[in-house]
Amino acid sequence: MTTMVPSEDDTMSVMRNEQGHMESDGSRKRKKRQDGTPRPACSWVHFSREFIKEYTASHPESSGLKAATKAASDAWKLMTPEEKAKYTSRAREVWDKYLNTAPARVPKPRRQTKLVTRCSPGRLLNVLQRLTPEQKAAVHGMQFGSILNLRCRTLRRSLCLWLLERFNTVRRSLEICGERIPLTPRDVELVMGLVSSGKDVVNSGPDDLIAELRKKYNATNRGISVRLLEERLAVPEAGEDFKRSFLLYLLGTLLCPTARLDVSPSFLHFLTNMDIIHQYNWGKFLLDRLVREVARYRQGKQRAVGGCLLFLQLFYYESVAVGEPSELSPAIFPCLASWGEEEISEREKHERELGGYGFGEVVCKERGLGTGFLGFRNQDDSIPLAIMSQEVERFPLLEQDEYQDLEDQVNRGMITAEEYMPINGEGNTICMDIEITDPVKAPCRNAQYGCTEIVDYTKRKEHEDFCVFSPCACPIQKCHFIGSSNQLSEHFSNKHWDSGRRFQYNSPLPVTLNKNEAFIVLQAEKDGILFLLKKGIESIGHTVLVTCISPSSSTEQYLYDIVAERGNSCLRLKSYTNNFPGRVEGSPPTDFLLVPFGFLNPNGALDLEMCIWNSTDIGAD
């Protein structure tokens, strides 16, 4: 018998074939680590190694490793945390040793031509289009009504990548068109319509405070399912559960998305009390999260880009003009409502005609955007970076009165108040000139309620404090309608016509407030104006108060009188109505009327005869 011995060439050929076969299966097999240092095993691996060894010795009839591994898996699932602690501690010790001895991994430079992000305005837009009028009113009540004007469905990913390369997360600025344009919470308000004042949003705290909410939303370590939230929002309900679900969905898909597909459960910490949602500084929260997510992306800690990239995209469109100055259209605030798919496609066409992004003209000042700290934009590059970041952190927002004082000084040409000026390390004030621009005109914030005024942006708050279209809330509990006093009157007549009492001015009206009845809604037949007859309690009797549901700034007053009788005794009280845009909660004001307990009927109810006088007849008796 002849034995064939393979030659050296044959051996090399076989090795090359085997190597090629391994490379072709690279999609199924993980390549061996190049540095030769294996990653430490987890607690399950430590347990399974020990279990399989014992199982194989005690079960010689076993069919092999597959059966032993299955038995190990079943045993692991039945173990308590105390029983697993032995293997968990062993794995942690090995892992700690690995971290202390393994060389630091050098992050690979990120070269990405495709943008991966969870910011999805189109997905949110689909949900917004299905909301009922009551749900939209609830969104307005949380001060997120501007989001209902969303028209943009897709992100321009090439633009977002271009902006991310020029986004300075330390200075919080965009360095485009040869200029550095700072980003502030005020810019978020102008672009997205979110409030840029109030207390900070804190998304952390004890886990036991949100345990029930985590259970309610099936929150896991990965997060809260977006599909679950969409199912909840499909129910035609506008109460607290809808508000919380809507805000979670809004944060997770548009305002503050993370690198994951699901919504972060940490958002539940500031959603425990939905009555104070409108008090938060959402503009600052959005900007802080955007800076954090972009920084994490650049450090290689996540593959997807988190944060509201739509804000960056719309900010660029509003800050850089691609047409002639004469073609610059008037600014609409919030800018979110100005950009639909048609407008964006037309803008992208102009960008391509110019040769790409960054060839336009910066028009931040004309738009009221990118004004930065204390209203100035062109900052001296000689100021040390550490001082700049320190001062911006020290003065993130000014109180309204302080801001108005500063604005008055700016109109005179220069800020001179030293307490608002940055100070260098030697205690010397850094002087900075401020460019003065023409005032920006903007619609009143109550435009959605019927106001047509276009006012200087710096004077808008003064106008809104006395605007007759200021929103008023429906007094019926569990109804979340908000609108002007005229809109509220029409809403109440159509939806709650059987929940109040209609009356005529200057005519007595008998009313009864039962023992557990806190108020009665009254509606005038002549003009539909709504009034609240509210009952409270004091030590010697019941307080009685009539308020007109209208803006607090309204100067219109109505005279009313109330008569209570007991046997031969008669008590008559007079006063003027207060103006309040909803139900009066809490303790009564100082000018309430008092009806002693002795005037209650045997059932504990309060029988009254009241009359509200038309404002044109004030003084009639």
Side-chain angles (χ1 to χ4, degrees):
M1 181 176 179
T2 303
T3 304
M4 300 294 295
V5 179
S7 65
E8 184 177 354
D9 293 339
D10 294 335
T11 304
M12 295 300 295
S13 176
V14 171
M15 292 179 63
R16 282 194 297 268
N17 291 337
E18 291 180 352
Q19 182 178 3
H21 179 70
M22 291 178 62
E23 291 179 354
S24 65
D25 293 342
S27 59
R28 289 174 297 171
K29 296 182 179 180
R30 183 175 298 177
K31 292 183 179 180
K32 186 177 180 181
R33 291 177 58 88
Q34 297 296 324
D35 57 5
T37 305
R39 291 173 64 90
C42 63
S43 55
W44 148 251
V45 174
H46 286 283
F47 164 77
S48 61
R49 288 172 179 170
E50 184 178 305
F51 181 91
I52 291 173
K53 184 177 181 180
E54 297 177 357
Y55 184 88
T56 304
S58 60
H59 296 77
E61 75 285 356
S62 176
S63 58
L65 181 61
K66 184 176 180 181
T69 304
K70 179 64 169 58
S73 176
D74 294 339
W76 178 261
K77 293 177 182 178
L78 297 175
M79 293 175 64
T80 63
E82 291 75 15
E83 294 172 330
K84 294 180 180 179
K86 167 186 174 182
Y87 305 99
T88 304
S89 300
R90 186 186 306 172
R92 185 177 292 112
E93 291 176 1
V94 177
W95 179 256
D96 291 340
K97 183 179 179 181
Y98 168 80
L99 293 178
N100 293 330
T101 57
R105 183 176 65 90
V106 179
K108 296 181 180 180
R110 181 178 296 275
R111 293 181 57 86
Q112 183 169 340
T113 57
K114 292 181 62 178
L115 177 68
V116 180
T117 178
R118 305 305 181 192
C119 184
S120 178
R123 192 165 191 168
L124 174 64
L125 190 57
N126 292 335
V127 171
L128 295 179
Q129 292 172 346
R130 297 194 298 263
L131 296 183
T132 65
E134 290 75 14
Q135 290 174 331
K136 292 181 179 179
V139 174
H140 280 291
M142 294 188 293
Q143 303 297 323
F144 285 91
S146 63
I147 300 299
L148 300 177
N149 298 320
L150 177 68
R151 298 171 56 221
C152 173
R153 184 172 288 276
T154 57
L155 291 174
R156 294 305 188 264
R157 299 186 177 236
S158 57
L159 171 59
C160 291
L161 278 172
W162 185 82
L163 290 172
L164 288 173
E165 293 175 358
R166 292 154 180 81
F167 185 23
N168 189 323
T169 56
V170 177
R171 291 178 177 261
R172 298 195 172 202
S173 63
L174 281 175
E175 299 173 358
I176 55 178
C177 302
E179 296 196 39
R180 180 183 298 120
I181 307 175
L183 298 174
T184 67
R186 188 64 169 170
D187 297 320
V188 178
E189 179 178 7
L190 296 179
V191 173
M192 306 294 293
L194 304 182
V195 179
S196 62
S197 60
K199 54 186 179 181
D200 289 346
V201 179
V202 180
N203 60 321
S204 61
D207 291 339
D208 57 335
L209 295 181
I210 60 171
E212 289 297 324
L213 289 178
R214 288 182 64 97
K215 183 178 179 181
K216 184 176 183 179
Y217 287 96
N218 297 331
T220 64
N221 291 335
R222 293 184 57 84
I224 300 172
S225 170
V226 172
R227 294 186 180 275
L228 172 65
L229 294 175
E230 288 176 342
E231 293 174 1
R232 286 176 171 270
L233 294 175
V235 179
E237 183 266 336
E240 184 173 293
D241 185 62
F242 162 78
K243 292 181 180 180
R244 185 178 288 111
S245 299
F246 177 82
L247 200 48
L248 281 170
Y249 192 79
L250 177 62
L251 292 167
T253 58
L254 182 69
L255 301 185
C256 305
T258 61
R260 293 183 175 180
L261 181 61
D262 297 328
V263 183
S264 172
S266 66
F267 293 154
L268 293 172
H269 283 287
F270 54 78
L271 298 179
T272 54
N273 185 0
M274 298 302 296
D275 294 333
I276 61 174
I277 289 299
H278 63 282
Q279 300 177 8
Y280 289 126
N281 188 336
W282 292 106
K284 182 176 182 297
F285 182 62
L286 183 149
L287 186 58
D288 289 345
R289 295 286 297 201
L290 176 63
V291 171
R292 170 195 164 187
E293 293 294 328
V294 173
R296 288 174 60 86
Y297 164 76
R298 287 181 176 169
Q299 294 167 4
K301 295 182 178 180
Q302 56 195 36
R303 177 169 169 264
V305 186
C308 186
L309 297 184
L310 180 65
F311 163 68
L312 280 184
Q313 174 177 310
L314 299 185
F315 181 87
Y316 171 77
Y317 288 154
E318 290 289 337
S319 302
V320 178
V322 294
E324 297 295 330
S326 58
E327 299 177 5
L328 191 62
S329 60
I332 299 177
F333 298 105
C335 308
L336 184 76
S338 304
W339 295 97
E341 291 302 307
E342 293 183 5
E343 292 83 358
I344 293 178
S345 298
E346 186 68 19
R347 170 60 183 253
E348 291 291 315
K349 176 183 176 182
H350 290 315
E351 295 278 1
R352 290 191 296 269
E353 291 174 352
L354 287 177
Y357 301 116
F359 289 95
E361 179 185 358
V362 176
V363 290
C364 296
K365 293 182 290 184
E366 289 80 355
R367 294 303 200 198
L369 300 167
T371 52
F373 173 61
L374 291 184
F376 58 87
R377 178 163 58 88
N378 298 324
Q379 296 162 341
D380 190 354
D381 286 341
S382 63
I383 301 175
L385 181 61
I387 297 178
M388 285 297 303
S389 60
Q390 177 183 358
E391 294 305 320
V392 171
E393 183 178 356
R394 184 185 303 178
F395 305 116
L397 287 175
L398 296 176
E399 295 296 331
Q400 186 63 35
D401 293 338
E402 297 173 336
Y403 181 84
Q404 187 63 47
D405 292 338
L406 290 174
E407 189 173 60
D408 292 340
Q409 297 176 51
V410 169
N411 292 334
R412 292 195 298 269
M414 179 70 70
I415 291 181
T416 57
E418 293 185 359
E419 58 268 28
Y420 298 119
M421 303 300 290
I423 299 175
N424 63 18
E426 299 177 358
N428 299 320
T429 301
I430 300 176
C431 297
M432 287 167 283
D433 295 332
I434 299 174
E435 282 191 57
I436 303 173
T437 62
D438 295 333
V440 178
K441 292 185 178 296
C444 172
R445 195 188 299 269
N446 301 320
Q448 57 187 313
Y449 305 122
C451 184
T452 59
E453 291 289 332
I454 305 295
V455 296
D456 290 351
Y457 200 81
T458 57
K459 298 180 180 179
R460 192 173 72 164
K461 184 178 185 302
E462 179 181 350
H463 162 77
E464 291 170 355
D465 287 342
F466 297 95
C467 181
V468 296
F469 292 94
S470 296
C472 301
C474 181
I476 300 300
Q477 293 178 347
K478 297 184 179 181
C479 179
H480 303 281
F481 178 85
I482 297 177
S484 66
S485 56
N486 291 336
Q487 292 171 342
L488 178 59
S489 174
E490 182 178 354
H491 161 80
F492 193 87
S493 299
N494 295 333
K495 298 291 185 179
H496 309 296
W497 57 270
D498 57 343
S499 300
R501 293 283 303 275
R502 297 183 67 85
F503 73 95
Q504 295 181 351
Y505 289 120
N506 312 333
S507 298
L509 175 72
V511 295
T512 299
L513 286 163
N514 295 320
K515 186 175 182 180
N516 297 323
E517 198 169 14
F519 65 89
I520 294 177
V521 183
L522 306 172
Q523 186 173 30
E525 294 183 357
K526 180 179 180 180
D527 50 20
I529 293 179
L530 296 177
F531 297 84
L532 275 182
L533 172 61
K534 187 175 184 297
K535 180 185 71 173
I537 188 170
E538 289 291 321
S539 58
I540 60 174
H542 283 291
T543 61
V544 178
L545 178 70
V546 176
T547 60
C548 176
I549 303 181
S550 61
S552 303
S553 59
S554 176
T555 58
E556 189 138 17
Q557 287 187 308
Y558 297 83
L559 176 71
Y560 68 95
D561 57 45
I562 293 177
V563 177
E565 296 183 350
R566 181 189 61 184
N568 296 328
S569 301
C570 178
L571 177 67
R572 183 176 184 180
L573 304 171
K574 276 189 179 184
S575 186
Y576 288 95
T577 60
N578 293 309
N579 297 308
F580 195 80
R583 294 192 299 270
V584 180
E585 306 292 351
S587 58
T590 57
D591 57 351
F592 61 84
L593 304 178
L594 183 67
V595 179
F597 289 132
F599 284 86
L600 299 178
N601 65 23
N603 296 325
L606 184 60
D607 296 322
L608 301 173
E609 183 181 87
M610 64 171 301
C611 180
I612 299 178
W613 301 86
N614 193 310
S615 58
T616 58
D617 299 324
I618 283 184
D621 193 351

